[in-house]
Amino acid sequence: MYSDYGFNKITSHLNAMQIRPLDVMVTGVTGSGKSSTLNMLFEKTIAKVGTGVDPETMDLNAYRLSDIMRFWDTPGLGDGVYNDRIHGKKLIDLMYKTYTIDNAEYGFIDIILVIIEGSNRDMGTTYKLLNDIIVPNFQGDRILVAINQADVAMKSRHWDSESNMPDSVLLDFLEEQAFSIQKRVKEATGISIIKPVYYSALYGYNVESFLDLIINNIPKQKRSLV
Ligand SMILES: Nc1nc2c(ncn2[C@@H]2O[C@H](COP(=O)(O)OP(=O)(O)OP(=O)(O)O)[C@@H](O)[C@H]2O)c(=O)[nH]1
Ligand SMILES: [Mg+2]
């Protein structure tokens, strides 16, 4: 059960921050697998996953994995200029959602997770999402990147479907890709991100690394507004 994963560690971080739960906003290009990622964590279908080429998620939805973590599914960018503007506004509104404690105002979302597809299709839209929407409105050190669809990163080649793991060739490729995305994000957006993890929401591969990325990067303090 992933709802128990890292419980003690998360709890002690949150106690230090004096918040509960940790709010994680999940963003990324349409079709990158945001909703699938939530289904992977919850081990059941909680969020509707797209089937064809059409974007699926149109609104913000919050799901509580446990008392200590809540995930916000969001619509993906790359859905045409008109919809991107509407969806972009929803993302920005969420980034500016606040709560007040002892007369001080804090940002509701603690961490933003940007999901990228292993095939690297549409990195341009990912950079646009970062540059136009996220980076100007959110602290750079609270932005995490994860690479989904590890199984099809090499067009399904080198994925061992018996063990549901990459073989050594694909593993090398994914490692290389993680470094390269870290570098490219720096060049394209100016922010320094932690080396992304890679995982497969479809096959539940590397879920623990995915959660570790979040758990190991829980901020020390409540988020002040930018
Ligand atoms: N092979 C593979 N396919 C995946 C994986 N994760 C998601 N998909 C597929 O990618 C498509 C899009 O997945 P969604 O979870 O709906 O993507 P999304 O990011 O929520 O998309 P929007 O809601 O449109 O923004 C679906 O057909 C999923 O089955 C994965 O790890 N591997
Ligand atoms: Mg979705």
Side-chain angles (χ1 to χ4, degrees), residues 28-37 39 48-52 54-58 73-77 115 148-152 156 199-204:
V29 173
T30 180
S32 56
K34 299 174 289 299
S35 300
S36 302
T37 298
N39 292 340
K48 193 152 180 269
V49 166
T51 43
D54 291 335
E56 184 60 50
T57 308
M58 291 295 155
D73 195 9
T74 67
L77 247 63
I115 310 284
N148 184 28
Q149 311 207 13
D151 52 301
V152 287
S156 297
Y199 68 102
S200 167
L202 188 64
Y203 293 112

PDB file of all heavy atoms in Angstrom, residues 28-37 39 48-52 54-58 73-77 115 148-152 156 199-204, ligand 1:
ATOM      1  N   GLY A  28       1.779  18.767 -16.269  1.00  0.00           N
ATOM      2  CA  GLY A  28       2.503  18.197 -17.402  1.00  0.00           C
ATOM      3  C   GLY A  28       1.660  18.296 -18.652  1.00  0.00           C
ATOM      4  O   GLY A  28       0.460  18.562 -18.588  1.00  0.00           O
ATOM      5  N   VAL A  29       2.309  18.042 -19.761  1.00  0.00           N
ATOM      6  CA  VAL A  29       1.654  18.092 -21.064  1.00  0.00           C
ATOM      7  C   VAL A  29       0.504  17.074 -21.105  1.00  0.00           C
ATOM      8  O   VAL A  29       0.563  16.053 -20.430  1.00  0.00           O
ATOM      9  CB  VAL A  29       2.720  17.750 -22.131  1.00  0.00           C
ATOM     10  CG1 VAL A  29       2.114  17.599 -23.513  1.00  0.00           C
ATOM     11  CG2 VAL A  29       3.819  18.792 -22.130  1.00  0.00           C
ATOM     12  N   THR A  30      -0.507  17.362 -21.874  1.00  0.00           N
ATOM     13  CA  THR A  30      -1.616  16.421 -22.004  1.00  0.00           C
ATOM     14  C   THR A  30      -1.111  15.073 -22.546  1.00  0.00           C
ATOM     15  O   THR A  30      -0.282  15.038 -23.450  1.00  0.00           O
ATOM     16  CB  THR A  30      -2.757  17.009 -22.876  1.00  0.00           C
ATOM     17  OG1 THR A  30      -3.791  16.042 -22.964  1.00  0.00           O
ATOM     18  CG2 THR A  30      -2.311  17.367 -24.280  1.00  0.00           C
ATOM     19  N   GLY A  31      -1.550  14.008 -21.918  1.00  0.00           N
ATOM     20  CA  GLY A  31      -1.138  12.666 -22.334  1.00  0.00           C
ATOM     21  C   GLY A  31       0.158  12.190 -21.695  1.00  0.00           C
ATOM     22  O   GLY A  31       0.612  11.074 -21.963  1.00  0.00           O
ATOM     23  N   SER A  32       0.773  13.012 -20.835  1.00  0.00           N
ATOM     24  CA  SER A  32       2.025  12.565 -20.213  1.00  0.00           C
ATOM     25  C   SER A  32       1.764  11.477 -19.169  1.00  0.00           C
ATOM     26  O   SER A  32       2.651  10.691 -18.848  1.00  0.00           O
ATOM     27  CB  SER A  32       2.768  13.751 -19.587  1.00  0.00           C
ATOM     28  OG  SER A  32       1.937  14.429 -18.670  1.00  0.00           O
ATOM     29  N   GLY A  33       0.532  11.462 -18.661  1.00  0.00           N
ATOM     30  CA  GLY A  33       0.178  10.398 -17.721  1.00  0.00           C
ATOM     31  C   GLY A  33      -0.019  10.865 -16.291  1.00  0.00           C
ATOM     32  O   GLY A  33       0.252  10.126 -15.344  1.00  0.00           O
ATOM     33  N   LYS A  34      -0.517  12.080 -16.134  1.00  0.00           N
ATOM     34  CA  LYS A  34      -0.766  12.607 -14.783  1.00  0.00           C
ATOM     35  C   LYS A  34      -1.834  11.772 -14.070  1.00  0.00           C
ATOM     36  O   LYS A  34      -1.644  11.324 -12.942  1.00  0.00           O
ATOM     37  CB  LYS A  34      -1.217  14.071 -14.866  1.00  0.00           C
ATOM     38  CG  LYS A  34      -0.185  14.986 -15.490  1.00  0.00           C
ATOM     39  CD  LYS A  34      -0.698  16.384 -15.686  1.00  0.00           C
ATOM     40  CE  LYS A  34      -1.748  16.509 -16.781  1.00  0.00           C
ATOM     41  NZ  LYS A  34      -1.283  16.124 -18.117  1.00  0.00           N
ATOM     42  N   SER A  35      -2.950  11.585 -14.755  1.00  0.00           N
ATOM     43  CA  SER A  35      -4.044  10.832 -14.132  1.00  0.00           C
ATOM     44  C   SER A  35      -3.627   9.380 -13.907  1.00  0.00           C
ATOM     45  O   SER A  35      -3.924   8.797 -12.854  1.00  0.00           O
ATOM     46  CB  SER A  35      -5.302  10.905 -15.003  1.00  0.00           C
ATOM     47  OG  SER A  35      -5.713  12.255 -15.154  1.00  0.00           O
ATOM     48  N   SER A  36      -2.909   8.808 -14.853  1.00  0.00           N
ATOM     49  CA  SER A  36      -2.417   7.435 -14.691  1.00  0.00           C
ATOM     50  C   SER A  36      -1.489   7.328 -13.485  1.00  0.00           C
ATOM     51  O   SER A  36      -1.486   6.314 -12.773  1.00  0.00           O
ATOM     52  CB  SER A  36      -1.641   6.985 -15.937  1.00  0.00           C
ATOM     53  OG  SER A  36      -2.444   7.062 -17.073  1.00  0.00           O
ATOM     54  N   THR A  37      -0.697   8.363 -13.267  1.00  0.00           N
ATOM     55  CA  THR A  37       0.221   8.368 -12.129  1.00  0.00           C
ATOM     56  C   THR A  37      -0.550   8.328 -10.810  1.00  0.00           C
ATOM     57  O   THR A  37      -0.180   7.606  -9.885  1.00  0.00           O
ATOM     58  CB  THR A  37       1.126   9.618 -12.195  1.00  0.00           C
ATOM     59  OG1 THR A  37       1.893   9.536 -13.397  1.00  0.00           O
ATOM     60  CG2 THR A  37       2.059   9.706 -11.000  1.00  0.00           C
ATOM     61  N   ASN A  39      -3.541   7.075 -10.428  1.00  0.00           N
ATOM     62  CA  ASN A  39      -4.111   5.728 -10.316  1.00  0.00           C
ATOM     63  C   ASN A  39      -3.060   4.725  -9.839  1.00  0.00           C
ATOM     64  O   ASN A  39      -3.362   3.815  -9.069  1.00  0.00           O
ATOM     65  CB  ASN A  39      -4.688   5.287 -11.664  1.00  0.00           C
ATOM     66  CG  ASN A  39      -5.910   6.110 -12.040  1.00  0.00           C
ATOM     67  OD1 ASN A  39      -6.540   6.731 -11.189  1.00  0.00           O
ATOM     68  ND2 ASN A  39      -6.249   6.118 -13.321  1.00  0.00           N
ATOM     69  N   LYS A  48      -9.824   9.632 -14.332  1.00  0.00           N
ATOM     70  CA  LYS A  48     -10.087   9.095 -15.657  1.00  0.00           C
ATOM     71  C   LYS A  48      -8.865   9.311 -16.556  1.00  0.00           C
ATOM     72  O   LYS A  48      -8.288  10.397 -16.622  1.00  0.00           O
ATOM     73  CB  LYS A  48     -11.318   9.777 -16.261  1.00  0.00           C
ATOM     74  CG  LYS A  48     -11.845   9.078 -17.475  1.00  0.00           C
ATOM     75  CD  LYS A  48     -13.355   9.286 -17.655  1.00  0.00           C
ATOM     76  CE  LYS A  48     -13.828   8.560 -18.892  1.00  0.00           C
ATOM     77  NZ  LYS A  48     -13.777   9.410 -20.095  1.00  0.00           N
ATOM     78  N   VAL A  49      -8.495   8.242 -17.249  1.00  0.00           N
ATOM     79  CA  VAL A  49      -7.326   8.259 -18.119  1.00  0.00           C
ATOM     80  C   VAL A  49      -7.791   8.406 -19.559  1.00  0.00           C
ATOM     81  O   VAL A  49      -8.813   7.849 -19.950  1.00  0.00           O
ATOM     82  CB  VAL A  49      -6.531   6.942 -17.920  1.00  0.00           C
ATOM     83  CG1 VAL A  49      -5.517   6.728 -19.019  1.00  0.00           C
ATOM     84  CG2 VAL A  49      -5.843   6.954 -16.562  1.00  0.00           C
ATOM     85  N   GLY A  50      -7.039   9.171 -20.345  1.00  0.00           N
ATOM     86  CA  GLY A  50      -7.388   9.389 -21.746  1.00  0.00           C
ATOM     87  C   GLY A  50      -7.228   8.111 -22.567  1.00  0.00           C
ATOM     88  O   GLY A  50      -6.411   7.259 -22.247  1.00  0.00           O
ATOM     89  N   THR A  51      -8.019   7.999 -23.624  1.00  0.00           N
ATOM     90  CA  THR A  51      -7.899   6.814 -24.473  1.00  0.00           C
ATOM     91  C   THR A  51      -7.334   7.185 -25.833  1.00  0.00           C
ATOM     92  O   THR A  51      -6.292   6.715 -26.239  1.00  0.00           O
ATOM     93  CB  THR A  51      -9.252   6.104 -24.654  1.00  0.00           C
ATOM     94  OG1 THR A  51     -10.259   7.085 -24.870  1.00  0.00           O
ATOM     95  CG2 THR A  51      -9.585   5.283 -23.432  1.00  0.00           C
ATOM     96  N   GLY A  52      -7.985   8.057 -26.536  1.00  0.00           N
ATOM     97  CA  GLY A  52      -7.516   8.395 -27.881  1.00  0.00           C
ATOM     98  C   GLY A  52      -6.480   9.485 -27.845  1.00  0.00           C
ATOM     99  O   GLY A  52      -5.624   9.527 -26.961  1.00  0.00           O
ATOM    100  N   ASP A  54      -7.398  12.605 -27.667  1.00  0.00           N
ATOM    101  CA  ASP A  54      -7.995  13.777 -27.027  1.00  0.00           C
ATOM    102  C   ASP A  54      -7.557  13.921 -25.579  1.00  0.00           C
ATOM    103  O   ASP A  54      -7.450  12.939 -24.854  1.00  0.00           O
ATOM    104  CB  ASP A  54      -9.521  13.684 -27.066  1.00  0.00           C
ATOM    105  CG  ASP A  54     -10.039  13.829 -28.486  1.00  0.00           C
ATOM    106  OD1 ASP A  54      -9.321  14.447 -29.294  1.00  0.00           O
ATOM    107  OD2 ASP A  54     -11.130  13.312 -28.776  1.00  0.00           O
ATOM    108  N   PRO A  55      -7.352  15.150 -25.142  1.00  0.00           N
ATOM    109  CA  PRO A  55      -7.037  15.396 -23.738  1.00  0.00           C
ATOM    110  C   PRO A  55      -8.199  14.954 -22.864  1.00  0.00           C
ATOM    111  O   PRO A  55      -9.343  15.041 -23.287  1.00  0.00           O
ATOM    112  CB  PRO A  55      -6.874  16.909 -23.666  1.00  0.00           C
ATOM    113  CG  PRO A  55      -6.672  17.351 -25.070  1.00  0.00           C
ATOM    114  CD  PRO A  55      -7.400  16.385 -25.928  1.00  0.00           C
ATOM    115  N   GLU A  56      -7.880  14.514 -21.667  1.00  0.00           N
ATOM    116  CA  GLU A  56      -8.927  13.939 -20.823  1.00  0.00           C
ATOM    117  C   GLU A  56      -9.322  14.860 -19.663  1.00  0.00           C
ATOM    118  O   GLU A  56     -10.472  15.267 -19.533  1.00  0.00           O
ATOM    119  CB  GLU A  56      -8.446  12.579 -20.295  1.00  0.00           C
ATOM    120  CG  GLU A  56      -9.468  11.832 -19.474  1.00  0.00           C
ATOM    121  CD  GLU A  56     -10.747  11.528 -20.240  1.00  0.00           C
ATOM    122  OE1 GLU A  56     -10.651  11.007 -21.357  1.00  0.00           O
ATOM    123  OE2 GLU A  56     -11.835  11.846 -19.713  1.00  0.00           O
ATOM    124  N   THR A  57      -8.358  15.172 -18.817  1.00  0.00           N
ATOM    125  CA  THR A  57      -8.691  15.929 -17.609  1.00  0.00           C
ATOM    126  C   THR A  57      -8.915  17.402 -17.941  1.00  0.00           C
ATOM    127  O   THR A  57      -8.084  18.030 -18.588  1.00  0.00           O
ATOM    128  CB  THR A  57      -7.552  15.781 -16.574  1.00  0.00           C
ATOM    129  OG1 THR A  57      -7.292  14.389 -16.402  1.00  0.00           O
ATOM    130  CG2 THR A  57      -7.945  16.399 -15.238  1.00  0.00           C
ATOM    131  N   MET A  58     -10.035  17.934 -17.512  1.00  0.00           N
ATOM    132  CA  MET A  58     -10.376  19.317 -17.846  1.00  0.00           C
ATOM    133  C   MET A  58     -10.437  20.209 -16.616  1.00  0.00           C
ATOM    134  O   MET A  58     -10.492  21.411 -16.713  1.00  0.00           O
ATOM    135  CB  MET A  58     -11.743  19.370 -18.552  1.00  0.00           C
ATOM    136  CG  MET A  58     -11.712  18.765 -19.937  1.00  0.00           C
ATOM    137  SD  MET A  58     -10.647  19.734 -21.032  1.00  0.00           S
ATOM    138  CE  MET A  58     -10.205  18.472 -22.216  1.00  0.00           C
ATOM    139  N   ASP A  73      -4.703  16.676  -9.364  1.00  0.00           N
ATOM    140  CA  ASP A  73      -4.626  16.379 -10.798  1.00  0.00           C
ATOM    141  C   ASP A  73      -5.068  17.634 -11.547  1.00  0.00           C
ATOM    142  O   ASP A  73      -5.992  18.322 -11.110  1.00  0.00           O
ATOM    143  CB  ASP A  73      -5.557  15.204 -11.124  1.00  0.00           C
ATOM    144  CG  ASP A  73      -5.280  14.595 -12.499  1.00  0.00           C
ATOM    145  OD1 ASP A  73      -4.263  14.966 -13.125  1.00  0.00           O
ATOM    146  OD2 ASP A  73      -6.077  13.742 -12.935  1.00  0.00           O
ATOM    147  N   THR A  74      -4.397  17.932 -12.638  1.00  0.00           N
ATOM    148  CA  THR A  74      -4.700  19.164 -13.385  1.00  0.00           C
ATOM    149  C   THR A  74      -4.800  18.856 -14.878  1.00  0.00           C
ATOM    150  O   THR A  74      -4.291  17.838 -15.339  1.00  0.00           O
ATOM    151  CB  THR A  74      -3.582  20.208 -13.176  1.00  0.00           C
ATOM    152  OG1 THR A  74      -2.374  19.722 -13.793  1.00  0.00           O
ATOM    153  CG2 THR A  74      -3.326  20.491 -11.709  1.00  0.00           C
ATOM    154  N   PRO A  75      -5.451  19.724 -15.640  1.00  0.00           N
ATOM    155  CA  PRO A  75      -5.496  19.523 -17.083  1.00  0.00           C
ATOM    156  C   PRO A  75      -4.122  19.764 -17.691  1.00  0.00           C
ATOM    157  O   PRO A  75      -3.376  20.622 -17.222  1.00  0.00           O
ATOM    158  CB  PRO A  75      -6.480  20.582 -17.577  1.00  0.00           C
ATOM    159  CG  PRO A  75      -6.989  21.304 -16.386  1.00  0.00           C
ATOM    160  CD  PRO A  75      -6.130  20.959 -15.217  1.00  0.00           C
ATOM    161  N   GLY A  76      -3.800  19.007 -18.734  1.00  0.00           N
ATOM    162  CA  GLY A  76      -2.494  19.157 -19.370  1.00  0.00           C
ATOM    163  C   GLY A  76      -2.472  20.273 -20.392  1.00  0.00           C
ATOM    164  O   GLY A  76      -3.489  20.612 -20.980  1.00  0.00           O
ATOM    165  N   LEU A  77      -1.294  20.822 -20.597  1.00  0.00           N
ATOM    166  CA  LEU A  77      -1.142  21.804 -21.667  1.00  0.00           C
ATOM    167  C   LEU A  77      -0.862  21.090 -22.990  1.00  0.00           C
ATOM    168  O   LEU A  77      -0.458  19.937 -22.997  1.00  0.00           O
ATOM    169  CB  LEU A  77       0.012  22.750 -21.329  1.00  0.00           C
ATOM    170  CG  LEU A  77      -0.443  24.183 -21.055  1.00  0.00           C
ATOM    171  CD1 LEU A  77      -1.350  24.208 -19.849  1.00  0.00           C
ATOM    172  CD2 LEU A  77       0.728  25.103 -20.839  1.00  0.00           C
ATOM    173  N   ILE A 115       5.257  16.171 -14.870  1.00  0.00           N
ATOM    174  CA  ILE A 115       5.416  14.845 -15.465  1.00  0.00           C
ATOM    175  C   ILE A 115       5.787  14.990 -16.940  1.00  0.00           C
ATOM    176  O   ILE A 115       5.103  15.682 -17.693  1.00  0.00           O
ATOM    177  CB  ILE A 115       4.091  14.035 -15.379  1.00  0.00           C
ATOM    178  CG1 ILE A 115       3.507  14.056 -13.968  1.00  0.00           C
ATOM    179  CG2 ILE A 115       4.284  12.608 -15.899  1.00  0.00           C
ATOM    180  CD1 ILE A 115       4.182  13.184 -12.982  1.00  0.00           C
ATOM    181  N   ASN A 148       7.708   9.805 -16.903  1.00  0.00           N
ATOM    182  CA  ASN A 148       6.778   8.665 -16.945  1.00  0.00           C
ATOM    183  C   ASN A 148       6.954   7.897 -18.262  1.00  0.00           C
ATOM    184  O   ASN A 148       7.697   8.311 -19.134  1.00  0.00           O
ATOM    185  CB  ASN A 148       5.339   9.188 -16.814  1.00  0.00           C
ATOM    186  CG  ASN A 148       4.323   8.051 -16.760  1.00  0.00           C
ATOM    187  OD1 ASN A 148       4.627   6.949 -16.313  1.00  0.00           O
ATOM    188  ND2 ASN A 148       3.114   8.307 -17.226  1.00  0.00           N
ATOM    189  N   GLN A 149       6.247   6.787 -18.358  1.00  0.00           N
ATOM    190  CA  GLN A 149       6.229   5.976 -19.576  1.00  0.00           C
ATOM    191  C   GLN A 149       7.621   5.440 -19.903  1.00  0.00           C
ATOM    192  O   GLN A 149       8.027   5.378 -21.071  1.00  0.00           O
ATOM    193  CB  GLN A 149       5.643   6.770 -20.757  1.00  0.00           C
ATOM    194  CG  GLN A 149       4.313   7.448 -20.398  1.00  0.00           C
ATOM    195  CD  GLN A 149       3.392   7.678 -21.580  1.00  0.00           C
ATOM    196  OE1 GLN A 149       3.607   7.140 -22.653  1.00  0.00           O
ATOM    197  NE2 GLN A 149       2.348   8.451 -21.382  1.00  0.00           N
ATOM    198  N   ALA A 150       8.343   5.071 -18.844  1.00  0.00           N
ATOM    199  CA  ALA A 150       9.678   4.494 -19.021  1.00  0.00           C
ATOM    200  C   ALA A 150       9.618   3.274 -19.950  1.00  0.00           C
ATOM    201  O   ALA A 150      10.569   3.001 -20.688  1.00  0.00           O
ATOM    202  CB  ALA A 150      10.246   4.076 -17.670  1.00  0.00           C
ATOM    203  N   ASP A 151       8.505   2.571 -19.939  1.00  0.00           N
ATOM    204  CA  ASP A 151       8.373   1.351 -20.758  1.00  0.00           C
ATOM    205  C   ASP A 151       8.458   1.629 -22.255  1.00  0.00           C
ATOM    206  O   ASP A 151       8.929   0.793 -23.018  1.00  0.00           O
ATOM    207  CB  ASP A 151       7.057   0.618 -20.428  1.00  0.00           C
ATOM    208  CG  ASP A 151       5.831   1.525 -20.515  1.00  0.00           C
ATOM    209  OD1 ASP A 151       5.794   2.545 -19.780  1.00  0.00           O
ATOM    210  OD2 ASP A 151       4.925   1.222 -21.306  1.00  0.00           O
ATOM    211  N   VAL A 152       8.016   2.807 -22.675  1.00  0.00           N
ATOM    212  CA  VAL A 152       8.025   3.091 -24.112  1.00  0.00           C
ATOM    213  C   VAL A 152       9.051   4.158 -24.497  1.00  0.00           C
ATOM    214  O   VAL A 152       8.989   4.733 -25.574  1.00  0.00           O
ATOM    215  CB  VAL A 152       6.607   3.478 -24.631  1.00  0.00           C
ATOM    216  CG1 VAL A 152       5.722   2.258 -24.678  1.00  0.00           C
ATOM    217  CG2 VAL A 152       5.971   4.576 -23.794  1.00  0.00           C
ATOM    218  N   SER A 156       9.008   0.894 -26.798  1.00  0.00           N
ATOM    219  CA  SER A 156       8.716  -0.449 -26.256  1.00  0.00           C
ATOM    220  C   SER A 156       9.884  -1.426 -26.358  1.00  0.00           C
ATOM    221  O   SER A 156       9.818  -2.521 -25.811  1.00  0.00           O
ATOM    222  CB  SER A 156       7.496  -1.114 -26.895  1.00  0.00           C
ATOM    223  OG  SER A 156       6.351  -0.368 -26.629  1.00  0.00           O
ATOM    224  N   TYR A 199       9.831   6.302 -14.282  1.00  0.00           N
ATOM    225  CA  TYR A 199       8.914   5.283 -13.774  1.00  0.00           C
ATOM    226  C   TYR A 199       7.901   4.965 -14.855  1.00  0.00           C
ATOM    227  O   TYR A 199       7.861   5.632 -15.903  1.00  0.00           O
ATOM    228  CB  TYR A 199       8.218   5.783 -12.492  1.00  0.00           C
ATOM    229  CG  TYR A 199       7.266   6.925 -12.726  1.00  0.00           C
ATOM    230  CD1 TYR A 199       5.886   6.718 -12.777  1.00  0.00           C
ATOM    231  CD2 TYR A 199       7.745   8.220 -12.951  1.00  0.00           C
ATOM    232  CE1 TYR A 199       5.010   7.761 -13.015  1.00  0.00           C
ATOM    233  CE2 TYR A 199       6.868   9.262 -13.196  1.00  0.00           C
ATOM    234  CZ  TYR A 199       5.506   9.028 -13.222  1.00  0.00           C
ATOM    235  OH  TYR A 199       4.640  10.059 -13.478  1.00  0.00           O
ATOM    236  N   SER A 200       7.106   3.943 -14.626  1.00  0.00           N
ATOM    237  CA  SER A 200       6.010   3.645 -15.548  1.00  0.00           C
ATOM    238  C   SER A 200       4.723   3.538 -14.749  1.00  0.00           C
ATOM    239  O   SER A 200       4.558   2.630 -13.936  1.00  0.00           O
ATOM    240  CB  SER A 200       6.273   2.327 -16.292  1.00  0.00           C
ATOM    241  OG  SER A 200       5.079   1.904 -16.934  1.00  0.00           O
ATOM    242  N   ALA A 201       3.841   4.492 -14.987  1.00  0.00           N
ATOM    243  CA  ALA A 201       2.554   4.477 -14.281  1.00  0.00           C
ATOM    244  C   ALA A 201       1.742   3.260 -14.715  1.00  0.00           C
ATOM    245  O   ALA A 201       1.040   2.652 -13.916  1.00  0.00           O
ATOM    246  CB  ALA A 201       1.784   5.764 -14.561  1.00  0.00           C
ATOM    247  N   LEU A 202       1.882   2.905 -15.988  1.00  0.00           N
ATOM    248  CA  LEU A 202       1.097   1.784 -16.513  1.00  0.00           C
ATOM    249  C   LEU A 202       1.486   0.467 -15.846  1.00  0.00           C
ATOM    250  O   LEU A 202       0.630  -0.351 -15.509  1.00  0.00           O
ATOM    251  CB  LEU A 202       1.292   1.696 -18.034  1.00  0.00           C
ATOM    252  CG  LEU A 202       0.402   0.711 -18.764  1.00  0.00           C
ATOM    253  CD1 LEU A 202      -1.062   1.113 -18.637  1.00  0.00           C
ATOM    254  CD2 LEU A 202       0.800   0.620 -20.241  1.00  0.00           C
ATOM    255  N   TYR A 203       2.778   0.250 -15.659  1.00  0.00           N
ATOM    256  CA  TYR A 203       3.238  -1.029 -15.111  1.00  0.00           C
ATOM    257  C   TYR A 203       3.639  -0.951 -13.639  1.00  0.00           C
ATOM    258  O   TYR A 203       4.152  -1.921 -13.074  1.00  0.00           O
ATOM    259  CB  TYR A 203       4.403  -1.569 -15.939  1.00  0.00           C
ATOM    260  CG  TYR A 203       3.967  -1.954 -17.327  1.00  0.00           C
ATOM    261  CD1 TYR A 203       4.386  -1.243 -18.444  1.00  0.00           C
ATOM    262  CD2 TYR A 203       3.102  -3.038 -17.518  1.00  0.00           C
ATOM    263  CE1 TYR A 203       3.971  -1.593 -19.720  1.00  0.00           C
ATOM    264  CE2 TYR A 203       2.666  -3.388 -18.795  1.00  0.00           C
ATOM    265  CZ  TYR A 203       3.113  -2.661 -19.881  1.00  0.00           C
ATOM    266  OH  TYR A 203       2.681  -3.009 -21.134  1.00  0.00           O
ATOM    267  N   GLY A 204       3.466   0.192 -13.034  1.00  0.00           N
ATOM    268  CA  GLY A 204       3.826   0.329 -11.625  1.00  0.00           C
ATOM    269  C   GLY A 204       5.309   0.095 -11.384  1.00  0.00           C
ATOM    270  O   GLY A 204       5.708  -0.435 -10.352  1.00  0.00           O
TER     271      GLY A 204
HETATM  272  N1  LIG B   1       2.926   2.807 -22.155  1.00  0.00           N
HETATM  273  C1  LIG B   1       2.488   3.643 -21.194  1.00  0.00           C
HETATM  274  N2  LIG B   1       1.385   4.371 -21.377  1.00  0.00           N
HETATM  275  C2  LIG B   1       0.984   5.199 -20.387  1.00  0.00           C
HETATM  276  C3  LIG B   1       1.695   5.311 -19.167  1.00  0.00           C
HETATM  277  N3  LIG B   1       1.076   6.230 -18.394  1.00  0.00           N
HETATM  278  C4  LIG B   1       0.009   6.672 -19.094  1.00  0.00           C
HETATM  279  N4  LIG B   1      -0.053   6.048 -20.293  1.00  0.00           N
HETATM  280  C5  LIG B   1      -1.065   6.243 -21.341  1.00  0.00           C
HETATM  281  O1  LIG B   1      -1.020   7.601 -21.780  1.00  0.00           O
HETATM  282  C6  LIG B   1      -2.329   8.059 -22.102  1.00  0.00           C
HETATM  283  C7  LIG B   1      -2.632   9.337 -21.343  1.00  0.00           C
HETATM  284  O2  LIG B   1      -2.682   9.071 -19.959  1.00  0.00           O
HETATM  285  P1  LIG B   1      -3.412  10.047 -18.926  1.00  0.00           P
HETATM  286  O3  LIG B   1      -3.104   9.520 -17.574  1.00  0.00           O
HETATM  287  O4  LIG B   1      -4.822  10.266 -19.284  1.00  0.00           O
HETATM  288  O5  LIG B   1      -2.605  11.391 -19.198  1.00  0.00           O
HETATM  289  P2  LIG B   1      -2.866  12.844 -18.580  1.00  0.00           P
HETATM  290  O6  LIG B   1      -1.521  13.451 -18.406  1.00  0.00           O
HETATM  291  O7  LIG B   1      -3.717  12.743 -17.372  1.00  0.00           O
HETATM  292  O8  LIG B   1      -3.624  13.577 -19.776  1.00  0.00           O
HETATM  293  P3  LIG B   1      -4.649  14.849 -19.704  1.00  0.00           P
HETATM  294  O9  LIG B   1      -5.645  14.556 -18.652  1.00  0.00           O
HETATM  295  O10 LIG B   1      -5.224  14.896 -21.072  1.00  0.00           O
HETATM  296  O11 LIG B   1      -3.806  16.048 -19.405  1.00  0.00           O
HETATM  297  C8  LIG B   1      -3.272   6.912 -21.758  1.00  0.00           C
HETATM  298  O12 LIG B   1      -3.541   6.199 -22.948  1.00  0.00           O
HETATM  299  C9  LIG B   1      -2.483   6.062 -20.790  1.00  0.00           C
HETATM  300  O13 LIG B   1      -2.858   4.714 -20.802  1.00  0.00           O
HETATM  301  C10 LIG B   1       2.884   4.496 -19.000  1.00  0.00           C
HETATM  302  O14 LIG B   1       3.573   4.503 -17.976  1.00  0.00           O
HETATM  303  N5  LIG B   1       3.222   3.697 -20.046  1.00  0.00           N
END
